[in-house]
Amino acid sequence: MPLEFEQPILELEARIRELRDYAEAGGVDLSDEIGLLEQKLERLQRETFANLTRWQRVQLARAPGRPTTLDVVERVFDDFIELHGDRAFADDPAIVAGLARFRGRSVVVVGHQKGKTTKENIHRNFGMPHPEGYRKAMRMMDMADRFGFPLISLIDTPGAYPGVSAEERGQAWVIAQSIQRMGRLRVPALAIILGEGGSGGALAIGVGNRVLIMENAWYSVISPESCAAILWRDAAQAEQAAEALRLTAHDLKELGVVDRVVPEPGGGAHRNPEGAMDALAEALAKELAELEPLSPEELLADRYRRFREMGAVEIV
Amino acid sequence: MALDRLFRRRRTRGGGRDVPELWLKCPSCEAQIYKKDLEADLMVCPECGHHFRLGVEERVRQLADEGSFEPTTGAVRPTDPLRFTDTEPYTERLARYQQETGRPDAIYGGTCTVGGVPTLLLAMDYAFAGGSMGSVVGEEIARGAELAAEEGRALVIVAASGGARMQEAALSLMQMAKTTMALDRLWEKRLPYVSILTDPTTGGVTASFAALADVILAEPGALIGFAGPRVIKQTIRQDLPEGFQRSEFLLRHGMLDRVVERRELRATLAHVLRLLHPEGGASDAARV
């Protein structure tokens, strides 16, 4: 289902397609008309995306067709092999993990996984991990340290799952442990927010030396809907909450929470996932090249400094 | 019984404006308790054992060795980095909480000894914005861990918090990583960190420094968890099991070391700190 603000763009695209088909079928030359409409389309798309509200960005971050962790693993990395299980209780399909190569070097990849269909989404629990998912992530961090491979994490979750069994098995505890484990990595750690960066469930795999974010992704302490439900006592105020939370890629760059915004192709990553993932691959390569010369001690100190400086306080 | 209730009700009304100051109703068993009695019992209901929420200064008084406490918090003040406004501007909320509590933000603490062990004791203030963690709470905890490491002190944090502070959004979220990573300063020096979970401890506070202590103690009946019960109920659309997310439930599931009644808390804390802290043995012997 297209997003509301995409509607005029899609309509214009459909008209151009119709004209093309008509011209082809009837053998008439409509190239001037088509050219004009294409210019108009280009302008409309540019204007629409230059003026997106924060709430519209949130909708883009959730749009079906956006690249997921498994899509990135397929296109950006080579020789991926998925590894399963937390060695304690279960395998959590909401987090995928494994080994791969990135431009020649071995890396460890961990990421939240949403489904593309309702059925798959139910299987993946809409990308909301249980404690087992974070235990699997920590296992992979151990492996990255043991072999000296960079850890690359891909964030796309509305949040860790708020359920009875998750609480019984220590959801808060594993998130805390995962934050700690990632902070202690002696190898380069890169985190990328692909779509949704929902709270502690996202941060658990977000303690990178560098944190990157896709242009239309969001990252915050709470989803706009939950924030609205608590502060406005009305989930319908999500649009207002999204504005207040300053949760877009550019907001976060300004606040110093992320280091780099990865540009998405015109129309958003869901309309051109390959283009978005290629831009991501370039950004990853640049960041990794900067981190690789650092020693384990330098990487630890760099990560500590990065997070130690977060926040806005006044000292009197 | 009915007479008893009538009697109590009359008494709460009868005294006019002074009465709420003298009598308190237990939220658990609804008994009317004379406030002086409650205070003498460390704010634990003499009828049912319900642990009332404690002010931070009273908490420090109950845990630190007498006369040993020197505050270190207070110099770090909140700002409004997002210019956040919901139904009320964040700056106005902050000003109100500051006026009500007399503190810049939701944390209070300092250096002291506990059972003779040099300690850095921090207590979260639930009365200030639900004890929520924004930049100031994160900064004070990171400073506390760093100072404890520098001075060879144990770190003790009494948690009481609804979680991360929404009005500082992503910056609040980052405090989870900042506080967690600062704890490693103690790790490097083999200094102990004890976390005391009180009612309530949820969200980003549980899911960061509060869950990562060498020893985790909790007061009886405290609500402790990641998601709040209301959110969970909405998600699963079922009633929650009896005692769900209470201290005793967490102990059963292996998330805590001990559930400790308030009147035993100081002794238990001192016991643990003396065993873990390098100076614990010496100070114990010195006392004899």
Side-chain angles (χ1 to χ4, degrees):
Chain A
M1 245 214 346
L3 303 170
E4 203 184 307
F5 59 90
E6 286 183 308
Q7 209 65 50
I9 297 170
L10 297 177
E11 278 164 17
L12 200 50
E13 279 176 349
R15 254 179 71 204
I16 293 170
R17 254 193 325 271
E18 263 170 37
L19 272 184
R20 268 215 194 92
D21 290 348
Y22 178 78
E24 211 168 289
V28 277
D29 182 14
L30 294 172
S31 53
D32 284 355
E33 287 85 345
I34 292 172
L36 275 174
L37 282 181
E38 278 175 336
Q39 274 174 30
K40 196 177 159 193
L41 173 68
E42 207 258 334
R43 205 168 47 238
L44 178 67
Q45 186 152 291
R46 194 157 20 89
E47 279 167 9
T48 305
F49 277 76
N51 296 306
L52 289 177
T53 65
R54 291 182 172 91
W55 179 239
Q56 287 171 331
R57 299 252 188 217
V58 171
Q59 291 171 291
L60 281 172
R62 295 168 176 168
R66 254 184 105 75
T68 68
T69 293
L70 283 174
D71 296 323
V72 173
V73 147
E74 188 66 29
R75 187 173 178 93
V76 173
F77 299 94
D78 302 308
D79 301 338
F80 176 70
I81 178 161
E82 187 176 355
L83 301 174
H84 291 276
D86 72 340
R87 302 293 190 269
F89 187 78
D91 183 45
D92 186 348
I95 285 191
V96 297
L99 295 162
R101 276 189 208 286
F102 178 65
R103 303 200 171 172
R105 57 172 97 59
S106 293
V107 294
V108 174
V109 186
V110 177
H112 301 104
Q113 185 63 42
K114 290 186 184 174
K116 303 222 169 193
T117 60
T118 306
K119 198 178 155 201
E120 202 198 339
N121 250 325
I122 290 166
H123 171 61
R124 302 275 181 197
N125 201 27
F126 299 84
M128 294 186 283
H130 279 75
E132 297 74 65
Y134 296 110
R135 280 200 201 96
K136 174 161 67 179
M138 286 189 267
R139 231 192 94 209
M140 303 312 292
M141 293 172 196
D142 289 345
M143 192 172 316
D145 258 343
R146 169 154 149 66
F147 290 95
F149 298 159
L151 182 98
I152 293 164
S153 62
L154 301 157
I155 294 167
D156 189 13
T157 181
Y161 186 62
V164 172
S165 55
E167 293 287 327
E168 282 175 344
R169 299 199 294 272
Q171 189 72 290
W173 272 254
V174 295
I175 290 171
Q177 288 158 1
S178 189
I179 292 170
Q180 185 173 58
R181 181 65 194 89
M182 196 165 175
R184 288 174 175 174
L185 280 173
R186 298 171 62 79
V187 294
L190 282 178
I192 302 108
I193 301 134
L194 277 183
E196 296 193 88
S199 196
L203 177 67
I205 58 167
V207 191
N209 291 90
R210 300 286 181 275
V211 179
L212 284 60
I213 186 167
M214 300 302 293
E215 189 179 356
N216 296 315
W218 70 265
Y219 189 26
S220 196
V221 72
I222 191 166
S223 73
E225 288 91 339
S226 303
C227 179
I230 297 169
L231 291 182
W232 281 265
R233 300 186 184 281
D234 177 12
Q237 302 296 316
E239 185 164 2
Q240 229 179 313
E243 285 299 313
L245 286 167
R246 303 198 179 233
L247 42 55
T248 69
H250 293 293
D251 291 331
L252 296 164
K253 180 79 172 62
E254 254 173 55
L255 291 168
V257 171
V258 302
D259 303 290
R260 184 195 279 266
V261 177
V262 180
E264 293 185 18
H270 66 297
R271 309 232 22 228
N272 182 357
E274 288 80 15
M277 287 189 278
D278 292 348
L280 173 59
E282 284 314 304
L284 267 182
K286 274 190 201 142
E287 297 292 349
L288 207 49
E290 280 179 28
L291 294 174
E292 277 181 322
L294 301 184
S295 70
E297 288 69 32
E298 286 170 326
L299 287 165
L300 275 170
D302 170 82
R303 215 177 296 118
Y304 188 64
R305 200 171 336 114
R306 186 185 187 284
F307 286 92
R308 184 66 185 81
E309 285 165 7
M310 294 278 169
V313 298
E314 189 180 84
I315 312 287
V316 293
Chain B
M1 184 67 198
L3 255 180
D4 191 41
R5 212 181 301 142
L6 204 72
F7 175 69
R8 275 179 182 151
R9 202 177 293 151
R10 196 161 51 102
R11 196 144 67 175
T12 53
R13 280 196 198 125
R17 302 180 75 193
D18 292 333
V19 167
E21 310 251 315
L22 294 175
W23 293 85
L24 280 172
K25 188 168 144 191
C26 174
S28 181
C29 72
E30 306 201 338
Q32 297 287 346
I33 316 159
Y34 190 49
K35 203 177 167 201
K36 285 243 166 77
D37 290 346
L38 191 63
E39 281 167 356
D41 280 335
L42 309 179
M43 301 295 283
V44 176
C45 173
E47 302 286 325
C48 72
H50 171 78
H51 283 52
F52 281 73
R53 286 176 188 157
L54 217 55
V56 283
E57 282 162 15
E58 175 59 19
R59 177 68 72 183
V60 166
R61 252 195 305 282
Q62 290 187 13
L63 294 179
D65 293 343
E66 211 179 325
S68 71
F69 181 76
E70 294 280 343
T72 57
T73 57
V76 185
R77 299 184 62 85
T79 63
D80 179 17
L82 308 182
R83 294 176 297 281
F84 194 101
T85 298
D86 47 272
T87 51
E88 187 186 354
Y90 180 41
T91 47
E92 283 175 26
R93 278 183 198 270
L94 281 174
R96 201 177 61 239
Y97 290 127
Q98 285 166 346
Q99 206 195 352
E100 280 166 13
T101 63
R103 270 176 288 282
D105 210 300
I107 193 158
Y108 174 70
T111 58
C112 62
T113 58
V114 176
V117 176
T119 299
L120 193 296
L121 172 63
L122 294 168
M124 303 185 82
D125 188 356
Y126 193 75
F128 194 113
S132 56
M133 173 164 69
S135 299
V136 173
V137 170
E139 182 66 23
E140 290 284 15
I141 287 170
R143 282 173 176 229
E146 287 166 349
L147 183 65
E150 202 181 299
E151 297 185 351
R153 294 174 184 278
L155 178 67
V156 175
I157 304 178
V158 184
S161 173
R165 187 171 297 169
M166 278 178 284
Q167 289 89 346
E168 294 183 32
L171 292 178
S172 296
L173 183 66
M174 294 301 114
Q175 304 310 309
M176 293 170 65
K178 176 161 122 184
T179 53
T180 294
M181 291 164 90
L183 297 175
D184 273 350
R185 308 297 105 164
L186 297 157
W187 179 279
E188 290 156 5
K189 298 208 168 171
R190 285 194 179 168
L191 290 164
Y193 162 40
V194 177
S195 176
I196 300 173
L197 310 182
T198 71
D199 186 59
T201 303
T202 58
V205 166
T206 322
S208 61
F209 63 88
L212 294 170
D214 300 300
V215 175
I216 305 177
L217 308 176
E219 288 195 330
L223 177 76
I224 301 164
F226 178 62
R230 209 165 43 94
V231 173
I232 297 173
K233 221 171 150 175
Q234 273 169 8
T235 308
I236 63 169
R237 292 168 203 284
Q238 276 171 30
D239 284 336
L240 301 174
E242 179 77 24
F244 179 63
Q245 291 186 312
R246 298 288 163 183
S247 308
E248 297 73 15
F249 170 94
L250 283 137
L251 182 71
R252 212 161 49 240
H253 284 281
M255 302 301 153
L256 310 173
D257 289 290
R258 304 181 76 87
V259 175
V260 185
E261 286 189 23
R262 196 170 281 163
R263 62 174 156 268
E264 300 293 333
L265 197 52
R266 177 192 211 141
T268 305
L269 180 61
H271 185 170
V272 168
L273 291 180
R274 281 196 215 130
L275 288 169
L276 285 174
H277 195 276
E279 283 172 38
S283 62
D284 225 353
R287 211 185 326 282
V288 176

